Amino acid sequence: MVSRVIPVETFDLVIFGGTGDLARRKILPGLFRRFLSGQMPPDSRIIGAARSDLDDAGYRNMIAEAIAEFGGVESKDSKGLAAFMGCLHYVPIDATGDTGWARLFDLTREGVIQAFYFSVAPSLFGALAERLHTHKIADDRSRIVVEKPFGRDLESAKALNDTLAAHFKETQIYRIDHYLGKETVQNLMAVRFGNVLFEPLWNNHYVDHIQITVAETVGVGGRGSYYDKSGAMRDMVQNHLMQLLCLIAMEPPAMFGADAVRDEKLKVIRALQPVDYHHIVRGQYDATDTEPSYREDAENPKSFTESFVAMKVNIANWRWAGVPFYLRTGKKLKARSSEIAVVFQDLGHSIFKGDEARHRNILSIRLQPNEGMDLQVTIKEPGPGGMRLIDVPLDMTFADALGPDAEEVPDAYERLIMDVIRGDQTLFMRGDEVEAAWAWTDPLIEGWERRNDVPKLYETGSAGPEDAMMLMHRDGRRWRELKG
Ligand code: NAD
């Protein structure tokens, strides 16, 4: 396979919060990989802008250390690293004051693509947007990238949208959901809309149900106090799981373009039915002999915040009426595994005598680990024992299927940043999508708060609370096994 890296145009990327955790762990190591691959033109500039009092040299040292820690094998390329360092600059800036803005104005150039990454707390978005304009740094061709969380309910999301809209057009705003930058998620669209095989079966005539799982083995750790105000519903379901659900369920757009795709996703969110409380299970991880409970991690002994949610969701449209979508996500579970499984219906009639087993085709799309897909198909068990049937996976792990010369799969962040530079909004959430997702989750969260709903405890290292298993068993179905 021939590697095809298409360079983007020269850009200036200002990273507000350029000294923060996200910038050091993801954004800058990702940009370094794009630089090494030849995709980032060497006359581009990355300008860190944050509160710390650093100069260019101090910032380069900080980022070189971050790349050594988080950059993977590429960080050993010292010549490449030295060249990349030449692209880095730093401006100490106060988002809410006057410090640094004149210097930032001097640094940015006319005639190159300009992007501003807001990798800071959302409470600073308004101040940044305003100052970019009053100091005449941004114009109507500039792009801004904003991080999650995009609000904590419909009202705050609307307020954030209004704040940004006061200074930027929707076509300039890139709301990141890094799940959409994962190669497999995009492959989901390629598989659905690039093959004749799946789309005819992708409906309530052939699909029994769909499972979407995002399971983590880690707890809330150092983020406990932040997470406790959010919970799995806000932190994972409203954004990541909802986005995956949209991509699986949406109608084929007329073309692969930003608004065409996002229009179809929005229709899915609007067709989601309200969820019955009996169809949701909230959980909280319990302590073990050696590990703390959620409440200890969150330093809140009375916390009712959920670290796990499982739910059954229905989409009220012609394609999906009657097909349940089961969603689950949680922390401190048995395995780190993110997967979408499309479980097809049973055969109406089996011609094979004595074969009582239920054979099902299952298309599973793995986001992590080992990004890839497999399709479970029924075949004859090899050997002379007569016509015995077994189910085997047709496995397509991308790393294996594409071979050693394939272009290395970029991390979600680096891929998405390159899309920002290319001006492609397809994999970013539009304002109305985010609001529609909150409009659907808000009543559920409010209901729990009103009723002081207490999450069910689950064992660390398990697959979640027993009630989550029951949610499926009641319907005569089973969750897929969590495998790391
Ligand atoms: P962080 O606390 O590590 O860093 C915050 C950055 O903001 C620092 O660079 C700091 O100097 C800068 N800053 C704070 N106040 C400022 C001010 N008044 N003026 C200028 N700069 C200021 O935060 P983080 O973890 O890097 O997160 C940044 C954003 O990304 C947040 O919105 C967060 O929710 C989001 N996010 C982070 C992660 C992650 O893995 N860290 C993941 C998803 C989303």
Side-chain angles (χ1 to χ4, degrees):
M1 176 126 348
V2 183
S3 175
R4 278 189 306 132
V5 175
I6 301 168
V8 295
E9 284 178 46
T10 299
F11 61 86
D12 281 348
L13 172 67
V14 177
I15 307 175
F16 293 109
T19 59
D21 176 68
L22 184 68
R24 284 181 294 110
R25 252 177 348 101
K26 291 284 181 189
I27 303 173
L28 281 139
L31 283 164
F32 176 50
R33 281 191 290 272
R34 292 299 94 211
F35 179 84
L36 288 184
S37 77
Q39 197 167 22
M40 173 180 156
D43 57 342
S44 298
R45 283 182 183 168
I46 298 163
I47 303 168
R51 263 193 315 204
S52 312
D53 191 16
L54 294 172
D55 57 12
D56 284 357
Y59 190 57
R60 288 170 184 165
N61 284 338
M62 173 191 268
I63 299 308
E65 278 171 25
I67 288 174
E69 192 174 351
F70 305 112
V73 284
E74 296 87 354
S75 57
K76 305 276 178 292
D77 182 344
S78 50
K79 217 168 128 203
L81 188 65
F84 180 66
M85 287 296 132
C87 301
L88 293 190
H89 302 269
Y90 185 79
V91 184
I93 210 157
D94 181 2
T96 54
D98 293 324
T99 313
W101 291 95
R103 169 95 204 289
L104 186 60
F105 175 82
D106 290 342
L107 266 181
T108 45
R109 298 172 287 180
E110 293 261 333
V112 298
I113 291 169
Q114 248 186 9
F116 301 93
Y117 200 130
F118 291 9
S119 182
V120 293
S123 55
L124 297 177
F125 289 179
L128 289 177
E130 192 186 321
R131 278 167 181 72
L132 281 172
H133 277 272
T134 48
H135 291 274
K136 300 198 169 16
I137 297 169
D139 60 28
D140 57 7
R141 287 161 303 160
S142 311
R143 290 148 206 183
I144 58 166
V145 185
V146 295
E147 264 299 332
K148 85 164 202 185
F150 202 85
R152 56 172 282 107
D153 52 21
L154 178 58
E155 195 186 333
S156 54
K158 272 189 173 160
L160 262 184
N161 274 336
D162 290 347
T163 303
L164 297 180
H167 303 284
F168 294 95
K169 294 178 289 201
E170 182 61 34
T171 49
Q172 297 180 276
I173 304 171
Y174 292 72
R175 294 176 195 76
I176 283 219
D177 183 326
H178 70 273
Y179 268 63
L180 294 182
K182 288 183 183 288
E183 195 71 7
T184 324
V185 172
Q186 293 160 60
N187 237 316
L188 178 59
M189 288 191 272
V191 165
R192 269 194 74 185
F193 304 130
N195 293 284
V196 74
L197 216 54
F198 296 105
E199 198 49 28
L201 307 179
W202 214 260
N203 55 51
N204 55 8
H205 298 293
Y206 294 98
V207 174
D208 177 75
H209 72 278
I210 290 176
Q211 300 187 20
I212 302 178
T213 297
V214 177
E216 298 175 280
T217 49
V218 293
V220 293
R223 292 171 70 219
S225 60
Y226 158 79
Y227 188 93
D228 203 41
K229 293 187 203 76
S230 148
M233 191 72 165
R234 287 192 171 100
D235 194 52
M236 297 299 291
V237 177
Q238 185 274 344
N239 39 51
H240 306 318
L241 275 82
M242 191 75 88
Q243 288 294 322
L244 298 180
L245 172 81
C246 286
L247 294 179
I248 279 278
M250 72 183 187
E251 293 299 312
M255 52 172 286
F256 190 66
D259 276 329
V261 169
R262 297 186 299 177
D263 285 347
E264 295 306 335
K265 282 163 58 195
L266 181 62
K267 285 185 207 161
V268 174
I269 304 176
R270 291 195 170 144
L272 288 175
Q273 292 195 310
V275 181
D276 186 316
Y277 278 103
H278 296 106
H279 294 158
I280 309 192
V281 178
R282 298 170 77 223
Q284 215 181 55
Y285 58 81
D286 205 356
T288 64
D289 293 342
T290 50
E291 292 190 57
S293 67
Y294 171 82
R295 289 178 172 191
E296 286 165 315
D297 272 346
E299 294 176 5
N300 180 0
K302 291 193 180 138
S303 174
F304 285 171
T305 303
E306 75 285 354
S307 60
F308 175 97
V309 189
M311 61 203 300
K312 176 177 162 181
V313 174
N314 288 295
I315 300 174
N317 64 18
W318 271 46
R319 185 185 286 266
W320 294 118
V323 178
F325 285 68
Y326 297 94
L327 275 45
R328 92 185 137 157
T329 180
K331 297 197 175 289
K332 287 259 178 129
L333 295 176
K334 190 173 159 193
R336 176 170 175 262
S337 159
S338 299
E339 182 202 68
I340 302 167
V342 181
V343 181
F344 291 92
Q345 292 176 8
D346 292 343
L347 285 178
H349 166 72
S350 174
I351 64 167
F352 302 105
K353 277 208 194 92
D355 180 51
E356 306 302 333
R358 178 194 249 192
H359 298 289
R360 284 193 149 175
N361 296 124
I362 300 175
L363 176 68
S364 89
I365 299 131
R366 292 187 306 272
L367 276 63
Q368 63 195 18
N370 309 327
E371 284 201 67
M373 298 193 185
D374 68 56
L375 179 63
Q376 180 176 296
V377 290
T378 302
I379 61 164
K380 176 188 170 297
E381 193 172 341
M387 191 54 121
R388 287 169 296 137
L389 303 184
I390 50 165
D391 296 330
V392 293
L394 282 180
D395 190 351
M396 193 175 84
T397 300
F398 296 147
D400 300 341
L402 300 179
D405 298 331
E407 187 189 332
E408 151 245 353
V409 174
D411 175 78
Y413 274 95
E414 52 193 274
R415 153 88 210 219
L416 290 173
I417 295 170
M418 290 300 108
D419 278 0
V420 174
I421 306 302
R422 278 190 286 257
D424 183 350
Q425 288 185 303
T426 313
L427 300 175
F428 296 83
M429 294 178 295
R430 210 167 52 191
D432 50 3
E433 259 184 273
V434 178
E435 289 184 15
W438 281 121
W440 183 75
T441 44
D442 268 6
L444 295 170
I445 298 171
E446 281 160 17
W448 291 332
E449 287 171 355
R450 231 184 4 256
R451 292 182 295 124
N452 278 334
D453 187 87
V454 184
K456 305 273 187 280
L457 290 180
Y458 62 93
E459 240 177 83
T460 289
S462 69
E466 195 53 35
D467 289 33
M469 311 304 136
M470 290 311 297
L471 180 73
M472 280 284 205
H473 289 181
R474 277 203 302 267
D475 294 347
R477 300 185 174 106
R478 284 193 284 142
W479 289 108
R480 307 235 320 145
E481 198 191 332
L482 286 180
K483 280 190 283 198

